[in-house]
Amino acid sequence: QLRVHGELHSKKRNLRVLMAAPAAASPAAASPVAAPGPSRDSKEPSMTLNEVLDRRPTVTKSSLAAGEPSSLLVYSSADSEPQRFVVPPSESLLCPIHLGLFSDPVILLCGHTFCRDCITESLHHSSQCPVDSQHLDASMLVPNRAVKGQVHDLLVFCKFGLMRSTTGDEEEWIPDPNGCQERLRYGDQAAHEKTCAFRLEPCPNSSACGIMRAHELAAHLASCEAVQCPNASLGCRVRGTRASIAEHVASCKFEVMKDVLAGSEERFAELHGLLHRKDAEIALLTQTLIDLSRKLENLAGNIEHKLDVYDQTICKMQNALEDTRRQVGHSLDEVTMIKQRIGSDDTQMFHHLYKCLGTVSGHTGPVWTLTCSDNLLFSGSSDETIRVWSPITLQCLNVLEGHQGIVHALVYYRGAHHDLLISGSSDCTIRVWETSGRFACLRTLLGHENTVFSLALKGNLLLSGSLKEIRIYDLETFETVNVLTGHNHWVRALTVDGTTLYSGSYNQIMVWDLTTFRCIRTVQCSGGSIYSLAVHASSLFVGTYENTALVFSRDDFTLQHTLTGHIGTVYAVIVIPGYLATASYDNSIKLWNLETFQNVQTLVRHTSSVDALCFTHNKIFSASADTSIRIWS
């Protein structure tokens, strides 16, 4: 792993280590100051700075494998200057990844030190230490100031005091007796070389003069023949030494025009400044226009929003007025009916008159379904939760979470060994909850590909309605027993009586024999989608989308009564002692006499559609889209 990381990093840092020749073989190594070098009169041509940097030494495998003793090291790479150390750096100062001198060293929790760039790139490939494979965290990189100080304390030669040696098979850098003789701290090298008297500088007058040492530049400028005339910017092309240029200025034809041209340049500068100020003014005006446009857009948006709010307020007021009129109409109907019954001496009229005992709340969305056990009431909502209530104290005892969609259906299963609560949801799943302890979810039943709208029970069989199908599960094994198909739309309503299952979809009721799982009758009806079903004695009650409740004979399935009065979808129908109760989108609950099928009472307290009904402990519980549950007795 260390070798792989080294190879990856070597593409960026092509480190070369050159071992110097033995002291006995190289006088320059033994005495760097006295080492001979090419003089100004030698035939070896001088090299420019670019040539020096381009001709960097390389190291062959044979030279590295020779293992010869050395007193000096030269490091060079494609992206750094050559460096020669007076004393070879310790191996403890070399990065284990790129095998070169530490640059910005950081220490890890495992105790190893690396260059910050090296270990950062390594951690992109693996979160382990390249040395001992311990797990590392990229956020735990601590600067190793001690190692950084040791690196900076290494002694190096100034690069302007080095020259190439052409002796031997391998080229190397050796001290130049005519260059800088400073021995510097590695940390001070950069600062020194910026001001070194032996640094290489180009002639400011002409590139043809070449590059020279900084301390030689003053002498060169005294005799340089490339000095320009001061009027070169005006068009004079004369060049010469400083002395000859001084004599030339007196007779330069551009000298006479100097004042005139200078005035023109001043005028040009003034015009340029004026143009710049005008541009700034134009930019300011443009930005002002943009700001005004944005403010106008925001103002228009605010006005539109306020108009929308006013429209919504007017609509709400109109709806409230319609609700009030409807409630007044219901009340007048009840008063008229009571007067009529008083006049006809009807002795059965006051068997049951229900009134609202109270309201419980806790759900944060519409409540779609209700079911009950002997001592518990359960409600399912759009807030994806199921709440458990005491029907006596009306306190919330628990909140069941787990569904990822609206809870549309609930049933309570009384088993031989344990009782279960079962819920169906728009997340296409059915969840089974235990009811004896923490109400934990015991099982999630899969199989449906669409919303589960309805649930019913027959012994240990669970029947669930969805889009065009009814799935049947065994509650002892939780396996799918059968799938009933044939419906033309959503199966929103299910009810069971004995071994007969009734299921409703769009303008259609299907009758099934649960002993054979076969459809024994299909009843066509009107009213659109069927939202609720209930059976009592020889009657089948149907709640429809088109505001009516239908009464069919269970013997021959003929339509016997059409109950009208609701002005919205009939979401729920249940049978209570002496009455049929229907709940509707029109925010009301109506009670119908089971013998005459006359409307005997209308319960109006909810502020939104009434979606579900349940009867227990001689009370009616109604669930609504206004998020509340009301209790009637």
Side-chain angles (χ1 to χ4, degrees):
Q1 187 182 25
L2 178 62
R3 179 182 60 80
V4 170
H5 284 291
E7 291 176 356
L8 289 173
H9 199 276
S10 66
K11 293 179 180 180
K12 294 184 177 180
R13 298 187 179 187
N14 184 18
L15 180 68
R16 298 184 177 92
V17 181
L18 177 63
M19 304 300 294
S26 175
S31 180
V33 178
S39 64
R40 295 173 183 269
D41 298 330
S42 64
K43 296 181 180 179
E44 178 73 13
S46 63
M47 294 182 290
T48 66
L49 179 60
N50 290 334
E51 291 173 337
V52 169
L53 297 180
D54 290 339
R55 296 179 58 189
R56 295 177 180 175
T58 57
V59 180
T60 63
K61 293 183 179 180
S62 59
S63 65
L64 289 174
E68 298 177 346
S70 63
S71 59
L72 301 174
L73 289 177
V74 175
Y75 287 75
S76 81
S77 64
D79 57 356
S80 63
E81 298 288 348
Q83 292 176 347
R84 185 178 181 105
F85 291 83
V86 177
V87 177
S90 169
E91 290 186 1
S92 62
L93 300 181
L94 302 182
C95 175
I97 294 180
H98 81 277
L99 306 180
L101 205 60
F102 281 118
S103 173
D104 190 10
V106 292
I107 189 169
L108 309 181
L109 291 178
C110 61
H112 295 105
T113 299
F114 304 91
C115 298
R116 184 182 295 275
D117 290 344
C118 295
I119 191 60
T120 300
E121 182 175 348
S122 174
L123 291 177
H124 287 163
H125 301 279
S126 172
S127 60
Q128 295 180 340
C129 174
V131 177
D132 58 12
S133 300
Q134 288 192 32
H135 179 76
L136 298 179
D137 186 351
S139 63
M140 301 300 291
L141 303 180
V142 180
N144 194 331
R145 304 187 188 281
V147 171
K148 184 175 182 179
Q150 294 177 34
V151 172
H152 283 188
D153 287 340
L154 295 173
L155 293 180
V156 297
F157 290 90
C158 174
K159 73 177 181 181
F160 299 112
L162 299 176
M163 67 179 183
R164 288 187 183 277
S165 172
T166 56
T167 61
D169 296 335
E170 299 287 345
E171 291 186 349
E172 65 172 322
W173 292 94
I174 64 174
D176 182 0
N178 296 321
C180 180
Q181 303 300 313
E182 292 287 343
R183 306 294 182 264
L184 313 166
R185 288 177 68 253
Y186 178 71
D188 300 334
Q189 183 181 11
H192 165 80
E193 290 176 351
K194 289 181 180 179
T195 60
C196 180
F198 290 87
R199 69 185 184 278
L200 300 179
E201 295 282 356
C203 175
N205 296 325
S206 175
S207 59
C209 297
I211 298 176
M212 59 204 72
R213 303 284 189 181
H215 67 84
E216 298 173 344
L217 185 59
H220 166 76
L221 292 178
S223 59
C224 179
E225 296 182 354
V227 179
Q228 290 182 326
C229 174
N231 298 320
S233 61
L234 302 178
C236 184
R237 297 292 181 263
V238 176
R239 288 178 179 268
T241 62
R242 288 179 177 177
S244 63
I245 291 300
E247 295 176 359
H248 161 76
V249 170
S251 59
C252 180
K253 63 181 180 180
F254 290 95
E255 188 71 18
V256 179
M257 303 169 57
K258 183 176 182 179
D259 294 337
V260 177
L261 294 175
S264 299
E265 289 181 356
E266 291 178 359
R267 181 58 180 163
F268 286 145
E270 291 177 2
L271 292 175
H272 181 73
L274 178 61
L275 182 62
H276 180 72
R277 289 193 295 274
K278 293 298 182 183
D279 289 340
E281 291 176 1
I282 291 173
L284 179 60
L285 290 174
T286 303
Q287 186 61 42
T288 303
L289 289 174
I290 293 174
D291 294 340
L292 288 175
S293 299
R294 290 176 179 172
K295 289 180 180 179
L296 288 174
E297 290 177 358
N298 292 335
L299 181 60
N302 291 335
I303 292 174
E304 291 179 359
H305 175 69
K306 289 182 179 179
L307 289 175
D308 291 340
V309 172
Y310 293 152
D311 290 340
Q312 293 175 4
T313 303
I314 292 173
C315 290
K316 289 180 180 178
M317 293 176 64
Q318 290 176 344
N319 292 335
L321 181 60
E322 291 178 0
D323 291 341
T324 302
R325 288 175 177 173
R326 183 168 56 250
Q327 292 175 12
V328 170
H330 290 318
S331 299
L332 291 175
D333 291 342
E334 291 180 2
V335 170
T336 301
M337 178 187 63
I338 292 173
K339 289 180 177 179
Q340 292 175 350
R341 292 190 175 184
I342 291 175
S344 61
D345 294 329
D346 189 347
T347 58
Q348 297 181 354
M349 60 173 292
F350 293 114
H351 281 184
H352 293 89
L353 286 178
Y354 284 87
K355 62 181 179 180
C356 184
L357 293 183
T359 304
V360 295
S361 59
H363 286 291
T364 58
V367 185
W368 290 102
T369 179
L370 293 172
T371 193
C372 60
S373 66
D374 293 336
N375 55 358
L376 294 173
L377 175 71
F378 305 91
S379 59
S381 168
S382 291
D383 62 13
E384 303 179 357
T385 66
I386 302 167
R387 287 184 174 262
V388 184
W389 311 85
S390 168
I392 299 174
T393 65
L394 305 182
Q395 297 295 314
C396 181
L397 306 178
N398 212 326
V399 179
L400 313 185
E401 298 178 338
H403 279 295
Q404 302 298 313
I406 299 172
V407 181
H408 282 286
L410 293 171
V411 291
Y412 190 84
Y413 170 68
R414 295 171 175 83
H417 305 291
H418 49 265
D419 292 354
L420 301 173
L421 173 68
I422 304 166
S423 57
S425 169
S426 61
D427 63 9
C428 308
T429 67
I430 299 171
R431 287 182 174 262
V432 181
W433 313 81
E434 59 98 4
T435 60
S436 59
R438 298 179 294 105
F439 289 94
C441 181
L442 301 178
R443 187 71 62 93
T444 300
L445 306 182
L446 306 177
H448 284 291
E449 297 180 354
N450 297 282
T451 298
V452 180
F453 268 116
S454 53
L455 294 173
L457 293 170
K458 168 55 181 172
N460 64 331
L461 296 181
L462 171 67
L463 304 101
S464 57
S466 183
L467 180 62
K468 298 183 180 181
E469 70 172 16
I470 302 170
R471 298 187 76 88
I472 304 176
Y473 300 88
D474 187 330
L475 290 179
E476 298 299 326
T477 63
F478 299 108
E479 298 293 332
T480 300
V481 175
N482 210 325
V483 179
L484 309 182
T485 59
H487 282 288
N488 57 13
H489 207 261
W490 292 101
V491 182
R492 300 179 186 273
L494 295 173
T495 189
V496 176
D497 182 63
T499 60
T500 304
L501 167 67
Y502 301 90
S503 58
S505 59
Y506 181 78
N507 282 338
Q508 183 187 76
I509 302 170
M510 298 187 75
V511 185
W512 307 83
D513 185 347
L514 292 180
T515 60
T516 61
F517 299 114
R518 293 181 180 274
C519 178
I520 58 177
R521 185 74 178 263
T522 299
V523 181
Q524 300 298 328
C525 60
S526 61
S529 293
I530 295 173
Y531 278 81
S532 51
L533 291 170
V535 293
H536 174 70
S538 61
S539 298
L540 172 65
F541 303 103
V542 181
T544 71
Y545 173 79
E546 296 180 357
N547 314 339
T548 60
L550 307 178
V551 183
F552 287 90
S553 168
R554 293 175 61 194
D555 297 328
D556 55 7
F557 294 99
T558 57
L559 179 63
Q560 296 186 338
H561 299 279
T562 299
L563 308 184
T564 60
H566 284 296
I567 57 174
T569 300
V570 179
Y571 283 128
V573 293
I574 63 170
V575 177
I576 61 177
Y579 297 98
L580 172 70
T582 59
S584 171
Y585 179 79
D586 62 9
N587 309 350
S588 71
I589 304 166
K590 287 183 178 291
L591 301 182
W592 312 80
N593 187 295
L594 282 176
E595 294 181 1
T596 64
F597 292 106
Q598 292 182 347
N599 179 212
V600 297
Q601 190 176 5
T602 300
L603 310 179
V604 181
R605 282 296 183 90
H606 284 291
T607 59
S608 189
S609 63
V610 185
D611 303 320
L613 296 173
C614 183
F615 186 82
T616 182
H617 291 78
N618 292 321
K619 298 182 181 70
I620 300 175
F621 292 84
S622 59
S624 169
D626 63 12
T627 74
S628 71
I629 300 172
R630 291 185 181 268
I631 302 93
W632 311 83
S633 178

